[in-house]
Amino acid sequence: MISALLFDLDGTLCNTDPTHFQTWVELLQDYGMEIDEAFYQSRITGRLNEAIIQDLLPQFSPSQGKQIADEKEARFRKLALKLERLAGVSNILAWSEERELLRSLVTNAPPKNVEFMLQVLGLTEMFKSVILAENLPAGKPDPLPYRIALSGLGISASQAVAFEDSPSGIRSAVGAGIYTIGIASTQSPKRLKDLGASMAVSDFTDPELWKLLETI
């Protein structure tokens, strides 16, 4: 029997990828870089801003890189006022409440974005804990964020199910030994399974997901 559900935020509880992509396109144009969807998927999505900027704009110091990252996220929040929950999110949260399961949010997103998105989505009170990679020595794809979540909830990996959409998130959750379900909002189901997800579904309405949940 499981005791907790662990959720990523971007791409899992809501599909923010189109908005993040648009924001990165506009920001990097300011620095003479043109990117497309393939570049975004291979070099940006799921990674920490610090690593992205160090990779793409190595000419800037860490303090300058942080200013660029802050500007990027401020632009994102201006575009993201109409975010909606991914299909079925409300159902799985209600299901978990009925069964008195613990819930934790585990995310690489910057703290201001997390607070903003949870407010827009009406999920501020839904999680017993919120694990922010920015507050840890390592973020996803390192398993540390999920290990910290498990420790904070006082449970073992075998007592949890994680939901992730990105390669870095899948690697993080799987690396922590958690049964991981891929949400194919930003990647193909095959890629998520190839990365280690035990199951991959399009969203939280998938009948196969509910068949599984009723057995665990």
Side-chain angles (χ1 to χ4, degrees):
M1 295 293 292
I2 62 169
S3 301
L5 301 181
L6 312 181
F7 296 89
D8 174 50
L9 179 54
D10 284 287
T12 300
L13 295 179
C14 58
N15 187 8
T16 54
D17 239 38
T19 308
H20 279 298
F21 174 60
Q22 180 182 348
T23 308
W24 278 111
V25 167
E26 295 175 0
L27 179 81
L28 291 173
Q29 281 176 342
D30 294 344
Y31 298 93
M33 289 187 66
E34 299 287 338
I35 68 168
D36 58 15
E37 181 70 27
F39 184 98
Y40 173 78
Q41 292 295 341
S42 65
R43 301 280 293 276
I44 294 177
T45 187
R47 302 176 69 196
L48 290 167
N49 280 343
E50 177 184 358
I52 296 168
I53 292 170
Q54 186 177 39
D55 178 21
L56 303 184
L57 302 171
Q59 68 270 33
F60 293 103
S61 68
S63 61
Q64 291 172 318
K66 183 168 189 317
Q67 291 178 346
I68 294 170
D70 289 346
E71 168 63 18
K72 181 265 167 182
E73 299 308 343
R75 294 188 188 193
F76 166 79
R77 290 191 293 273
K78 288 181 181 179
L79 295 173
L81 290 169
K82 295 183 179 180
L83 288 177
E84 296 182 352
R85 300 179 186 184
L86 201 67
V89 165
S90 299
N91 294 338
I92 197 166
L93 293 175
W95 178 87
S96 67
E97 284 194 291
E98 290 172 3
R99 285 153 182 77
E100 299 182 345
L101 300 179
L102 301 171
R103 293 181 299 274
S104 183
L105 188 72
V106 185
T107 176
N108 271 0
K112 287 184 179 180
N113 279 19
V114 175
E115 180 181 3
F116 168 82
M117 285 189 282
L118 290 180
Q119 288 178 348
V120 170
L121 297 169
L123 298 176
T124 303
E125 305 299 325
M126 277 292 172
F127 300 98
K128 180 176 176 61
S129 65
V130 176
I131 308 302
L132 302 171
E134 187 169 302
N135 296 336
L136 303 176
K140 304 172 189 177
D142 194 283
L144 181 63
Y146 276 101
R147 288 175 177 158
I148 294 293
L150 294 173
S151 177
L153 296 176
I155 62 173
S156 67
S158 63
Q159 293 174 284
V161 172
F163 296 93
E164 275 285 357
D165 74 293
S166 71
S168 63
I170 296 289
R171 292 188 181 103
S172 178
V174 171
I178 302 168
Y179 186 97
T180 304
I181 298 174
I183 302 296
S185 63
T186 61
Q187 306 287 329
S188 70
K190 182 182 184 303
R191 187 171 188 212
L192 296 179
K193 293 183 76 172
D194 287 346
L195 289 163
S198 297
M199 170 184 285
V201 297
S202 57
D203 56 39
F204 294 94
T205 66
D206 193 297
E208 292 303 312
L209 169 63
W210 288 97
K211 285 181 185 177
L212 172 70
L213 292 177
E214 294 298 344
T215 67
I216 58 178

